[in-house]
Amino acid sequence: MNRRGMQATAQARGRHAPEKSASRPSSIGTRSAIMSAAVREFADKGYDGARVDEIAMHAGVNKNLLYHHFGSKDGLFAAVLEYTYEAIRRRQKDLELRDMDPVTGMRKLVIFTGRIWVQLPEFQRLLHSENLHEGEHVRRSKSIPRMYNPLLDTIRDLLDRGVKSGQFRQGIDVIDLYVSITALTAHYITNRYTFEAIFGKRLMTPRRIQQRLDHAADMILRYVQNGPGHVDAAEGPMPMAGR
């Protein structure tokens, strides 16, 4: 083949050669697309109702590729929980409560926790599904329990500094307190539809949400602060007055 023929052949091969997939999503991009689709599917339908085919379709990937990244539906749901918990913990790290006055810091923590439920409603639905499965995915996770250690340390620091300054009473259990903060803020959001139907009120307006969060913060502060009628938790409840 002469030189001109070789050049023509090379040009033809170049026209028909497969293009390098510059637009093909990277491994990180693929996982991110799958995760976003999975969060929506699991939050909307729960673990039992969610379908891997639907997740793959909405993520724009082959189902085999999804299994390559996550192994199984079970593994994908566990990854979704870890992804969601991590997103929330990252937000909490930005609070910087350790340098705040204990009362101000505790109020900010309660209101911030309440706003998580408002801003990430899918988190509550994922938790509901996981609790129906008795927390098996969280229990198997190595990372989720560890994510809570810094948060509990922050609450413990607020309580310790509040006790030293005379603002908070002694003997408050950190886990009990966090459960109470969650209950006072999350229950309102979880049950808003039935509450609205029963009471005939719109509960998710900005004013009502702020009112609820302030209410929750006031209740938590009245529990932890020193004041008339308070007894240190370690001493037990006050005896009932005789009739």
Side-chain angles (χ1 to χ4, degrees):
M1 182 181 294
N2 60 28
R3 186 173 179 182
R4 184 175 296 177
M6 292 175 64
Q7 288 176 340
T9 302
Q11 289 173 355
R13 285 177 179 171
R15 284 195 300 269
H16 296 291
E19 297 180 4
K20 290 185 179 179
S21 182
S23 61
R24 184 176 180 179
S26 65
S27 178
I28 295 176
T30 300
R31 287 180 66 91
S32 178
I34 294 171
M35 195 65 66
S36 296
V39 168
R40 291 194 300 271
E41 179 76 3
F42 284 122
D44 289 345
K45 302 176 183 176
Y47 176 81
D48 294 320
R51 295 291 175 263
V52 173
D53 287 336
E54 291 289 317
I55 295 170
M57 181 184 72
H58 288 298
V61 301
N62 184 287
K63 188 166 70 171
N64 290 333
L65 184 60
L66 185 151
Y67 285 129
H68 168 74
H69 281 282
F70 298 97
S72 64
K73 178 182 177 181
D74 201 59
L76 178 57
F77 185 64
V80 162
L81 289 172
E82 290 178 352
Y83 170 84
T84 308
Y85 274 105
E86 176 60 28
I88 291 169
R89 295 288 84 81
R90 281 198 303 269
R91 293 186 180 201
Q92 287 175 328
K93 287 178 184 176
D94 294 336
L95 280 176
E96 299 179 354
L97 300 176
R98 290 179 180 268
D99 296 326
M100 289 185 181
D101 169 77
V103 172
T104 302
M106 189 65 71
R107 176 174 289 279
K108 187 168 183 178
L109 175 64
V110 175
I111 291 175
F112 175 85
T113 302
R115 293 214 172 274
I116 285 177
W117 307 120
V118 177
Q119 295 164 0
L120 301 174
E122 65 274 11
F123 182 48
Q124 276 194 336
R125 299 196 295 269
L126 291 170
L127 289 183
H128 176 70
S129 182
E130 175 64 356
N131 276 292
L132 290 176
H133 287 266
E134 300 180 349
E136 61 177 283
H137 300 90
V138 172
R139 192 175 294 110
R140 291 201 305 263
S141 172
K142 294 180 180 179
S143 62
I144 292 175
R146 288 201 302 266
M147 291 179 199
Y148 273 81
N149 292 335
L151 174 63
L152 295 179
D153 288 342
T154 297
I155 297 174
R156 192 176 290 110
D157 174 71
L158 285 172
L159 291 173
D160 288 345
R161 289 192 291 112
V163 169
K164 288 178 183 178
S165 66
Q167 294 167 292
F168 294 166
R169 60 197 182 91
Q170 297 180 1
I172 296 172
D173 184 89
V174 175
I175 295 175
D176 277 346
L177 181 60
Y178 181 69
V179 170
S180 295
I181 292 171
T182 301
L184 285 170
T185 53
H187 186 77
Y188 181 86
I189 307 300
T190 304
N191 296 278
R192 63 189 182 277
Y193 297 115
T194 49
F195 285 156
E196 286 182 342
I198 292 169
F199 301 122
K201 300 283 187 182
R202 293 178 59 219
L203 301 182
M204 295 303 290
T205 64
R207 185 186 68 81
R208 291 292 307 203
I209 290 171
Q210 188 60 53
Q211 179 179 313
R212 178 62 200 175
L213 297 183
D214 287 338
H215 176 83
D218 287 344
M219 291 187 72
I220 290 296
L221 284 172
R222 287 173 185 172
Y223 171 71
V224 301
Q225 285 179 302
N226 267 323
H230 278 299
V231 176
D232 284 346
E235 297 177 11
M238 295 179 67
M240 295 292 291
R243 293 185 179 178

